[in-house]
Amino acid sequence: MTYCVGLRIDSGLVFMSDTRTNAGIDSISTFRKMHVWEDPGERVIVLLTAGNLATTQAVVSLLDERSKSIADRVPTLLETPSMYQTARLVGNTVKEVISSHADAGQKADSYFNASFILGGQIKGTPPRLFQIYPEGNFIECSEDTPFFQIGETKYGKPIIIRAYDRAMSFAETAKLLIVSFDSTLKSNLSVGLPLDLMFYEKDTMRVGFKKRIGIDDPYYRTVSDGWSNALKNAFKSLPDFPET
Amino acid sequence: MTYCVGLRIDSGLVFMSDTRTNAGIDSISTFRKMHVWEDPGERVIVLLTAGNLATTQAVVSLLDERSKSIADRVPTLLETPSMYQTARLVGNTVKEVISSHADAGQKADSYFNASFILGGQIKGTPPRLFQIYPEGNFIECSEDTPFFQIGETKYGKPIIIRAYDRAMSFAETAKLLIVSFDSTLKSNLSVGLPLDLMFYEKDTMRVGFKKRIGIDDPYYRTVSDGWSNALKNAFKSLPDFPET
């Protein structure tokens, strides 16, 4: 499984993804699910991936190769005129990869499906955030729903719903995401450390803060342990049920 | 959908269930999912139901009729010699109902599946808690996993994992369940108020505290509003992410 979140705040976009993949419970590996393309000062594109690893790797490789070899199909990920066109390009690539495996060759027991969160900014346009479906279509985040989750989304959702505020700083948002991921990690073994965290600051067109957070990360440990205690204290602060 | 929890504490068993059923998002109704059989001083049996409503109602009706008409198959729910035999009886009834619909007549688009939490105590034996699967087999809760959830289980699980303690009082446990249900209600429209709450106090062989909790319940409102604030404060109490 997987857990990825892309979140919009006033000051930019924040992304977090886990790195665990599994083919059955007895075959667990670590793979990066956060992919970044940057043309400094011009554009930053971030893609988070969930689902079939062969599919997501093929999509990322195709997008990547096409951005390097201009002889191949244009426009590439570094040349699309808008984030909307970027989402279309990714969506079409997803559709192409899935149909090429699903329609021919040996049938697999499971589907080749994959989902994506795409975010970024192209100079002269605002930062945008999309969720892309296996069918290649996509939706954009709005004022009402300023974040997307893919993969194992449920355990970590209640805290985001309750604590998110668009005026949050990056440091607060990173804390929120770590709490949300920690709840998910504690509930589903197929989501695992390390985590990739990235902050894109609006209008910079450059990769901002980027970090891999492992089991030894002292801040992660502080939040993980602290959140358990803070939750217990929050719980104690409420009045007990009146048995009348 | 549905959300039901059965939980064991040192002083007894606590049960909570929602009451919303839906056939598609445009057909929503209220049905009780907590069913109680009592032979005061001798036994208390509680059954929580999730899944296909026709299946769960048929199971409950069959169990109910057989406990009233002794001419029908014995032993009935009020006569089984142990909670283990009670779980077998319920499991067999589930299997019977599902197979009678699944193997004959018009095929439905969806399955007739249903899941159950069974708890209670029979005089002379300890209180026990089981989860029963659509196949009719079942598992019993243990020291390590002292609770069962059925239905929409994920949103409300992290707080139970973190705050549960077997030495909790009923009043604390009821608070924990209301917090867990409130997180689920806020995330999934197909889980809805009112909630049914019941406490069975160990070795009493009588229905203990029992209440239906609606939208107007002042304690529910206090916890629901208070938990949002308590969570936000807990979140604020943790240090922000260090951007270095």
Side-chain angles (χ1 to χ4, degrees):
Chain A
M1 200 91 181
T2 285
Y3 182 35
C4 298
V5 181
L7 200 150
R8 193 170 70 183
I9 51 177
D10 284 344
S11 57
L13 300 170
V14 188
F15 303 91
M16 190 174 263
S17 57
D18 85 314
T19 52
R20 184 162 293 175
T21 71
N22 66 303
I25 192 66
D26 54 351
S27 172
I28 288 178
S29 315
T30 301
F31 282 93
R32 173 174 291 273
K33 300 170 192 173
M34 180 184 289
H35 308 274
V36 182
W37 291 266
E38 181 187 27
D39 181 359
E42 294 296 326
R43 71 175 63 198
V44 169
I45 310 284
V46 182
L47 190 67
L48 308 180
T49 64
N52 184 288
L53 185 64
T55 298
T56 60
Q57 285 195 345
V59 167
V60 170
S61 295
L62 276 174
L63 291 170
D64 209 31
E65 291 203 349
R66 285 171 183 168
S67 75
K68 279 171 190 155
S69 128
I70 52 166
D72 211 334
R73 182 202 296 186
V74 285
T76 73
L77 212 52
L78 294 180
E79 288 168 335
T80 44
S82 68
M83 281 304 295
Y84 177 80
Q85 293 297 338
T86 312
R88 277 194 57 185
L89 174 63
V90 175
N92 287 336
T93 309
V94 173
K95 216 157 55 175
E96 180 186 328
V97 168
I98 292 183
S99 65
S100 79
H101 292 295
D103 299 345
Q106 203 176 336
K107 294 280 175 250
D109 289 339
S110 59
Y111 293 104
F112 300 105
N113 283 354
S115 299
F116 301 82
I117 294 173
L118 172 75
Q121 186 174 16
I122 294 172
K123 200 176 168 181
T125 66
R128 294 173 75 174
L129 187 65
F130 298 90
Q131 177 169 350
I132 301 172
Y133 297 105
E135 293 77 9
N137 57 349
F138 49 85
I139 54 174
E140 183 174 6
C141 85
S142 69
E143 295 299 311
D144 297 320
T145 305
F147 66 91
F148 289 126
Q149 305 169 287
I150 53 176
E152 176 57 280
T153 60
K154 293 187 177 183
Y155 298 113
K157 192 175 187 184
I159 184 64
I160 299 184
I161 290 179
R162 280 174 157 125
Y164 167 81
D165 175 357
R166 53 180 288 177
M168 279 177 139
S169 69
F170 164 62
E172 286 171 310
T173 310
K175 176 171 71 168
L176 175 61
L177 289 177
I178 287 179
V179 169
S180 173
F181 271 74
D182 186 52
S183 289
T184 309
L185 262 69
K186 282 201 166 61
S187 300
N188 187 333
L189 274 185
S190 70
V191 177
L193 292 170
L195 309 175
D196 286 314
L197 168 66
M198 189 196 140
F199 174 48
Y200 169 71
E201 193 181 345
K202 196 178 165 179
D203 299 335
T204 59
M205 321 296 160
R206 276 167 211 283
V207 171
F209 184 86
K210 200 162 168 236
K211 188 173 185 179
R212 175 157 285 200
I213 298 167
I215 186 81
D216 297 330
D217 186 87
Y219 179 72
Y220 179 79
R221 292 253 57 86
T222 304
V223 168
S224 179
D225 299 343
W227 183 240
S228 283
N229 289 329
L231 262 193
K232 283 177 196 163
N233 291 335
F235 182 69
K236 275 185 200 140
S237 75
L238 296 176
D240 284 350
F241 186 81
E243 292 175 61
T244 50
Chain B
M1 202 92 181
T2 286
Y3 182 37
C4 298
V5 181
L7 201 149
R8 194 170 70 182
I9 51 177
D10 284 344
S11 57
L13 301 170
V14 188
F15 303 91
M16 189 174 263
S17 56
D18 84 315
T19 52
R20 183 162 293 175
T21 70
N22 66 304
I25 192 67
D26 54 352
S27 171
I28 288 178
S29 316
T30 300
F31 281 93
R32 173 174 289 274
K33 300 169 191 173
M34 180 184 289
H35 307 274
V36 182
W37 291 266
E38 181 187 26
D39 180 0
E42 293 297 326
R43 72 174 63 197
V44 169
I45 310 285
V46 182
L47 190 67
L48 307 180
T49 63
N52 184 288
L53 185 63
T55 299
T56 60
Q57 285 196 342
V59 168
V60 169
S61 296
L62 277 175
L63 292 170
D64 210 31
E65 292 202 349
R66 285 169 182 169
S67 75
K68 279 172 191 155
S69 127
I70 52 166
D72 210 336
R73 183 202 296 185
V74 285
T76 73
L77 212 53
L78 294 181
E79 287 167 335
T80 44
S82 68
M83 281 304 295
Y84 178 79
Q85 292 298 337
T86 312
R88 277 194 58 185
L89 173 64
V90 175
N92 287 337
T93 309
V94 173
K95 215 158 54 176
E96 182 186 325
V97 168
I98 292 182
S99 65
S100 78
H101 292 295
D103 298 345
Q106 204 177 333
K107 293 282 174 249
D109 289 339
S110 59
Y111 293 105
F112 299 104
N113 282 353
S115 299
F116 301 81
I117 294 173
L118 172 74
Q121 186 173 16
I122 294 172
K123 201 176 169 181
T125 67
R128 294 173 76 174
L129 186 65
F130 298 89
Q131 175 169 351
I132 300 172
Y133 297 105
E135 293 78 8
N137 57 349
F138 50 86
I139 54 174
E140 183 173 7
C141 85
S142 69
E143 294 300 310
D144 297 320
T145 303
F147 65 91
F148 289 126
Q149 305 169 287
I150 52 176
E152 176 57 280
T153 60
K154 293 186 176 182
Y155 297 114
K157 191 173 185 184
I159 184 64
I160 298 184
I161 290 179
R162 279 175 157 125
Y164 166 82
D165 175 357
R166 53 180 288 176
M168 278 177 140
S169 68
F170 163 62
E172 286 171 310
T173 310
K175 176 170 72 168
L176 175 61
L177 289 177
I178 286 180
V179 169
S180 173
F181 271 73
D182 186 51
S183 290
T184 309
L185 263 67
K186 281 203 166 61
S187 300
N188 187 334
L189 274 185
S190 70
V191 177
L193 292 170
L195 308 175
D196 286 314
L197 168 66
M198 190 196 138
F199 174 47
Y200 169 72
E201 193 181 345
K202 196 177 165 181
D203 299 334
T204 59
M205 320 298 160
R206 277 168 210 284
V207 171
F209 184 86
K210 198 162 168 236
K211 187 173 185 179
R212 174 157 284 200
I213 297 166
I215 185 80
D216 296 330
D217 186 88
Y219 178 71
Y220 178 80
R221 291 252 58 86
T222 303
V223 168
S224 179
D225 299 342
W227 183 241
S228 282
N229 289 328
L231 262 194
K232 283 177 195 163
N233 291 334
F235 182 68
K236 274 186 200 138
S237 75
L238 296 176
D240 284 349
F241 186 82
E243 292 175 61
T244 49

